[in-house]
Amino acid sequence: MARQQRVVIVGGGVIGLLTAFNLAADVEQVTLLDRNTVGQESSWAGGGIVSPLYPWRYTPAVTALAHWSQDFYPRLAERLFASTGVDPEVHTTGLYWLDLDDEAEALAWAEREGRPLSAVDISSVESRVPVLGHGFSRAIYMKDVANVRNPRLVKSLKAALLAMPNVTIHEQCEVQGFILDGTTIKGVDTAQGPMLGDEVVLAAGAWSGELLKILNLELPVEPVKGQMILYKCSSDFLSCMVLAKGRYAIPRRDGHILIGSTLEHEGFDKTPTESALESLKASAVELIPALADAQPVAHWAGLRPGSPEGIPYIGRLPGFEGLWLNCGHYRNGLVLAPASCQLFADLLLERSPIIDPAPYTPHGRV
């Protein structure tokens, strides 16, 4: 029996979409709002590796969410594909890290966490990835790392939500303020009029901090620009993901190769730049020399929701009844989404949480 709760979710990226998806069966009504079109910001722009780039460099809080999500992603993709006909293309290729400075720490972390990461001989990498550039001397490998085709994940989640009778999606619907009764949030004011709810969830990515300023709250979430380029090769050109010097190559099933990404503090400016294009092309050629003869077919930028240590805010916001956060995932929104949104649903619906929610609580952090 669904609870008599109306939930308004502000932000239609993967976090907002999956939050809606996880709540819809258990509440009366879900209203999802996005200032543009759903999933067109950070969710669309990212690479979609289902792992933090350097998982051993993160806090246990990020690791806990990442492990749960990595193990859950294939089931989520199958469920979405079966119900919508849109395949998010969770593509398990494995990932090679090359010439790491902290290889010993990575291997110690893997042993401690029970993850299948191990040192491999560089000659075995060269035989499996014949297009790899020469000059690399060391490698570690994790076999079960996947990537998800994030634009297709967004499309699949949107289709699943549109099929649910108690879910409404409002696009081009910018939030202009909060509807308050004392310190209780009753909904939000938007360009399309008031949207009322018993619970309001901020899942607005890099814009979440700006929205909370309306309530005179300071949330340390800021936009961090990232630029990427895309090549089109044959489907068997690159067999797995490779990462060196902070840059990566991600193969899609159809032969598209993503190269990313920059890390820039430029406010809300997401204009692609010529300097980033040249830097990314140089990284592409260093990783895969054959790309020197290819031209990128696309170049774009997105804004990550930067947060301290990359630990998201998940839970009720103190001081205002009915206001919740699920935001601040920094570089790992796609990686952490399944666990974050399941944990969020557990908290809002007062179920036993999948993992300890304490590290993510907004209380004492906002």
Side-chain angles (χ1 to χ4, degrees), residues 9 13 16-24 30 32 38 80 83-84 154-169:
I9 299 170
L17 291 165
L18 197 50
T19 298
F21 185 76
N22 284 353
L23 289 176
V30 177
L32 182 77
V38 299
L80 288 170
S83 65
T84 67
V154 164
K155 189 176 179 183
S156 188
L157 281 167
K158 182 180 179 180
L161 292 175
L162 289 173
M164 295 175 175
N166 65 329
V167 177
T168 307
I169 297 175

Side-chain angles (χ1 to χ4, degrees), residues 166-189:
N166 65 329
V167 177
T168 307
I169 297 175
H170 294 274
E171 297 179 309
Q172 320 303 325
C173 185
E174 187 164 5
V175 169
Q176 299 165 334
F178 295 88
I179 300 168
L180 284 157
D181 179 5
T183 58
T184 299
I185 303 286
K186 295 289 190 178
V188 291
D189 282 315

Side-chain angles (χ1 to χ4, degrees), residues 217-239:
L217 291 172
E218 286 294 326
L219 180 73
V221 172
E222 60 173 358
V224 182
K225 182 177 177 179
Q227 300 189 50
M228 302 188 69
I229 57 176
L230 183 72
Y231 293 90
K232 182 67 171 77
C233 304
S234 61
S235 59
D236 61 352
F237 177 75
L238 181 64
S239 61

Side-chain angles (χ1 to χ4, degrees), residues 51-72:
S51 169
L53 283 188
Y54 301 98
W56 53 91
R57 296 179 187 172
Y58 282 92
T59 64
V62 172
T63 298
L65 292 173
H67 286 182
W68 196 95
S69 293
Q70 285 169 309
D71 297 339
F72 186 75

Side-chain angles (χ1 to χ4, degrees), residues 219-221 307-308 311-315 325-328 360-362 365-366:
L219 180 73
V221 172
S307 60
I311 300 173
Y313 299 87
I314 305 171
L325 301 183
N326 193 1
C327 59
Y360 321 101
T361 180
R365 298 176 65 210
V366 178

Side-chain angles (χ1 to χ4, degrees), residues 124-134 236-239 287-290:
S124 71
V125 187
E126 290 167 345
S127 61
R128 182 166 177 216
V129 190
V131 294
L132 186 69
H134 297 296
D236 61 352
F237 177 75
L238 181 64
S239 61
L287 282 168
I288 305 168

Side-chain angles (χ1 to χ4, degrees), residues 2-274:
R3 294 173 177 229
Q4 301 301 299
Q5 276 175 302
R6 299 166 303 156
V7 180
V8 176
I9 299 170
V10 181
V14 164
I15 298 294
L17 291 165
L18 197 50
T19 298
F21 185 76
N22 284 353
L23 289 176
D26 294 292
V27 300
E28 179 186 358
Q29 181 188 343
V30 177
T31 304
L32 182 77
L33 316 176
D34 196 276
R35 57 196 287 278
N36 291 315
T37 305
V38 299
Q40 294 303 297
E41 295 290 353
S42 186
S43 299
W44 181 90
I49 300 175
V50 186
S51 169
L53 283 188
Y54 301 98
W56 53 91
R57 296 179 187 172
Y58 282 92
T59 64
V62 172
T63 298
L65 292 173
H67 286 182
W68 196 95
S69 293
Q70 285 169 309
D71 297 339
F72 186 75
Y73 246 116
R75 277 180 286 158
L76 174 64
E78 286 168 16
R79 181 180 170 192
L80 288 170
F81 189 19
S83 65
T84 67
V86 180
D87 186 359
E89 292 189 17
V90 173
H91 185 28
T92 304
T93 65
L95 171 58
Y96 287 105
W97 287 265
L98 305 167
D99 289 357
L100 280 170
D101 292 333
D102 56 351
E103 183 177 303
E105 288 90 335
L107 294 170
W109 169 88
E111 187 168 348
R112 193 169 63 245
E113 296 289 337
R115 303 309 279 188
L117 177 70
S118 57
V120 293
D121 191 85
I122 197 69
S123 61
S124 71
V125 187
E126 290 167 345
S127 61
R128 182 166 177 216
V129 190
V131 294
L132 186 69
H134 297 296
F136 297 108
S137 59
R138 290 174 293 110
I140 60 174
Y141 177 63
M142 197 187 296
K143 64 179 174 60
D144 59 354
V145 182
N147 65 76
V148 60
R149 196 158 182 173
N150 32 314
R152 293 182 65 89
L153 175 63
V154 164
K155 189 176 179 183
S156 188
L157 281 167
K158 182 180 179 180
L161 292 175
L162 289 173
M164 295 175 175
N166 65 329
V167 177
T168 307
I169 297 175
H170 294 274
E171 297 179 309
Q172 320 303 325
C173 185
E174 187 164 5
V175 169
Q176 299 165 334
F178 295 88
I179 300 168
L180 284 157
D181 179 5
T183 58
T184 299
I185 303 286
K186 295 289 190 178
V188 291
D189 282 315
T190 78
Q192 296 179 23
M195 302 284 173
L196 301 177
D198 304 301
E199 318 288 347
V200 172
V201 185
L202 278 193
W207 287 265
S208 299
E210 298 299 299
L211 288 168
L212 281 185
K213 285 178 182 175
I214 297 170
L215 297 173
N216 294 315
L217 291 172
E218 286 294 326
L219 180 73
V221 172
E222 60 173 358
V224 182
K225 182 177 177 179
Q227 300 189 50
M228 302 188 69
I229 57 176
L230 183 72
Y231 293 90
K232 182 67 171 77
C233 304
S234 61
S235 59
D236 61 352
F237 177 75
L238 181 64
S239 61
C240 64
M241 296 179 281
V242 292
L243 192 160
K245 298 180 183 175
R247 296 282 170 86
Y248 51 76
I250 305 171
R252 301 299 198 212
R253 287 183 191 161
D254 63 0
H256 278 103
I257 308 290
L258 283 155
I259 305 291
S261 66
T262 65
L263 208 58
E264 307 164 62
H265 293 267
E266 300 286 346
F268 286 93
D269 173 21
K270 51 176 190 169
T271 311
T273 62
E274 190 66 29

